[in-house]
């Protein structure tokens, strides 16, 4: 799950430990019970040691990522604004996606200092918005390939902006609103983030099949469209899906399973993968550019080789006798 339920999870674990301690105090007469609760107490100490180490490691990890991700997200937003001038509807979804990622990163930074419910809810809210915007990007690419005529006549910047604004209200359907707070339960948040996954898969498969019949698209354009969908599918599968599955297990499993050290490690690993989501979304900018193939040659190391090739061609042309 997102950080929205970390506080609840910690409180559940603390409650479980208090219950265990009370039970152990009442069962001192039985030798077998002493051994049992002794093992539980040892497991509890290991878990609490893991929680303390996790807090420090999480802060270091978040601040390290923020140094890298925030400048990249700001540069991506600046670059995507120029793509809107060319009236590309997909760029609107990507801009809102980067905005949601920026909110996620800001919430994570603030959570390292003070873990308030408002920040936890804002992070979970922005993650949910980003998932549905990813589905919008995938569906837009599918329409471009499978229904090109309808796409050109109906898909406009106004419609993309309207859809993007509506997406920001979708998480309210799965949230529990108790003014002035907003809550996300494990099960409903997991369901909310799992709904777009079949849409992304179907769009990827449908686009892959439809590209063979898209005569009007060049080979370069086909690679860009398929690359966009592949990146969205890959990002969701390895970054969003693990934390969604873990949150679903939290809801359906018993608290004895949730408080084990192994499950806590799996939970934190899936949480760290979620922190990489903003960086993966910024890569979508490369697939929105028609000249993405020229990005690599524009580097300084490649520019020298290109200059050498141009000079060789110029020398060859000048040495050839004119007809």
């Amino acid at each position: 799950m997102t950080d929205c339920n970390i506080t609840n999870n910690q409180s559940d674990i603390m409650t479980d430990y208090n219950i265990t301690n009370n039970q152990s105090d009442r069962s001192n007469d039985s030798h077998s019970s002493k051994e049992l609760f002794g093992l539980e107490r040892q497991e509890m100490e290991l878990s609490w040691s893991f929680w303390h180490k996790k807090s420090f490691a999480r802060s270091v990890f978040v601040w390290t990522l923020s140094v890298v991700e925030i400048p990249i997200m700001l540069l991506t937003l600046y670059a995507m604004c120029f793509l809107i001038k060319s009236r590309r509807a997909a760029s609107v979804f990507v801009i809102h996606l980067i905005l949601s990622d920026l909110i996620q990163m800001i919430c994570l930074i603030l959570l390292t200092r003070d873990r308030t419910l408002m920040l936890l809810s804002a992070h979970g809210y922005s993650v949910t918005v980003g998932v549905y915007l990813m589905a919008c990007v995938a569906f837009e690419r599918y329409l471009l390939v499978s229904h090109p005529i309808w796409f050109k006549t109906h898909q406009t910047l106004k419609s993309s902006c309207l859809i993007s604004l509506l997406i920001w209200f979708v998480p309210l359907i799965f949230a529990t609103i108790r003014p002035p707070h907003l809550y996300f339960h494990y099960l409903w948040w997991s369901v909310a983030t799992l709904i777009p996954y079949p849409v992304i898969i179907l769009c990827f498969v449908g686009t892959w099949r439809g590209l063979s019949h898209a005569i009007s698209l060049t080979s370069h354009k086909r690679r860009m469209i398929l690359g966009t969908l592949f990146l969205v599918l890959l990002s969701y599968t390895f970054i969003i899906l693990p934390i969604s599955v873990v949150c679903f297990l939290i809801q359906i499993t018993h608290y004895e399973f949730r408080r084990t050290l192994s499950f806590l490690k799996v939970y934190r690993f899936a949480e760290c993968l979620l922190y990489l989501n903003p960086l993966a979304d910024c890569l979508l900018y490369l697939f929105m550019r028609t000249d993405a193939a020229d990005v690599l040659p524009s580097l300084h190391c490649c520019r020298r080789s290109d200059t050498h090739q141009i000079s060789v061609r110029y020398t060859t042309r000048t040495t050839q006798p004119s007809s």
Side-chain angles (χ1 to χ4, degrees):
M1 172 56 177
T2 59
D3 286 338
C4 300
N5 293 311
I6 294 177
T7 305
N8 295 332
N9 191 20
Q10 290 176 343
S11 61
D12 291 341
I13 295 174
M14 293 175 62
T15 303
D16 296 337
Y17 290 154
N18 292 330
I19 294 174
T20 303
N21 291 332
N22 294 332
Q23 291 177 349
S24 62
D25 294 337
R26 298 174 183 177
S27 305
N28 292 328
D29 296 335
S30 175
H31 181 70
S32 59
S33 298
K34 288 181 180 179
E35 294 180 352
L36 177 62
F37 289 113
L39 294 175
E40 291 183 355
R41 186 178 293 106
Q42 182 180 4
E43 182 181 359
M44 178 188 67
E45 292 176 355
L46 292 175
S47 299
W48 276 113
S49 177
F50 171 77
W51 279 109
H52 290 298
K53 293 180 180 178
K54 181 272 308 178
S55 300
F56 176 75
R58 178 182 177 276
S59 300
V60 174
F61 184 67
V62 169
W63 280 101
T64 303
L65 283 179
S66 63
V67 174
V68 178
E69 291 183 349
I70 291 181
I72 293 178
M73 284 188 286
L74 294 177
L75 290 175
T76 304
L77 283 175
Y78 178 76
M80 291 298 297
C81 291
F82 289 96
L83 293 182
I84 295 182
K85 296 180 180 179
S86 60
R87 302 188 65 81
R88 298 184 188 178
S91 60
V92 177
F93 297 129
V94 178
I95 288 176
H96 284 263
L97 179 60
I98 302 300
L99 286 175
S100 67
D101 293 335
L102 189 60
I103 296 175
Q104 294 177 37
M105 207 65 223
I106 294 175
C107 291
L108 290 176
I109 294 174
L110 296 177
L111 283 170
T112 58
R113 300 175 59 88
D114 187 15
R115 301 184 66 82
T116 62
L117 183 60
M118 182 181 297
L119 292 175
L120 294 172
S121 301
H123 182 264
Y125 192 97
S126 57
V127 171
T128 309
V129 171
V131 171
Y132 282 88
L133 287 171
M134 292 169 61
C136 289
V137 173
F139 188 68
E140 189 269 346
R141 298 286 91 180
Y142 168 75
L143 292 177
L144 178 62
V145 174
S146 301
H147 307 280
I149 299 177
W150 186 93
F151 178 81
K152 291 180 180 180
T153 56
H154 292 81
Q155 191 69 12
T156 60
L157 287 178
K158 292 182 179 180
S159 62
S160 299
C161 293
L162 180 60
I163 294 173
S164 299
L165 291 176
L166 292 177
I167 291 298
W168 285 92
F169 294 94
V170 170
L172 297 177
I173 302 175
F174 305 94
T176 301
I177 303 176
R178 296 176 183 176
H181 297 296
L182 187 71
Y183 301 90
F184 286 96
H185 297 289
Y186 285 108
L187 180 61
W188 288 112
W189 188 89
S190 179
V191 171
T193 53
L194 286 174
I195 288 177
Y197 193 44
V199 177
I200 295 175
I201 295 177
L202 292 176
C203 290
F204 178 78
V205 175
T207 304
W208 194 359
R209 294 179 178 179
L211 283 175
S212 59
H213 305 287
I215 304 176
S216 59
L217 299 176
T218 62
S219 59
H220 173 69
K221 187 67 174 179
R222 294 177 183 177
R223 289 194 299 268
M224 298 295 292
I225 294 174
L226 193 61
T228 302
L229 291 174
F230 182 75
L231 179 61
V232 171
L233 181 61
L234 197 68
S235 176
Y236 189 99
T237 303
F238 292 99
I239 295 179
I240 306 296
L241 187 61
I243 193 68
S244 299
V245 174
V246 169
C247 290
F248 184 76
L249 292 176
I250 290 175
Q251 185 66 30
I252 65 175
T253 56
H254 196 261
Y255 70 91
E256 292 289 344
F257 174 76
R258 297 199 304 265
R259 72 177 185 177
T260 59
L261 185 61
S262 300
F263 183 80
L264 292 177
K265 290 182 178 180
V266 172
Y267 181 90
R268 294 308 164 190
F269 178 74
E271 188 182 48
C272 291
L273 289 178
L274 182 63
Y275 297 162
L276 299 176
N277 185 43
L279 188 61
D281 292 338
C282 290
L283 296 177
L284 287 174
Y285 167 70
L286 296 178
F287 294 95
M288 296 290 107
R289 293 173 57 98
T290 55
D291 57 343
D294 301 331
V295 173
L296 183 61
S298 63
L299 299 176
H300 179 72
C301 59
C302 300
R303 195 176 298 171
R304 294 179 59 185
S305 61
D306 292 343
T307 305
H308 177 70
Q309 293 178 0
I310 294 174
S311 61
V312 171
R313 293 176 184 176
Y314 178 77
T315 305
T316 305
R317 291 178 181 178
T318 54
T319 54
Q320 291 179 353
S322 58
S323 55

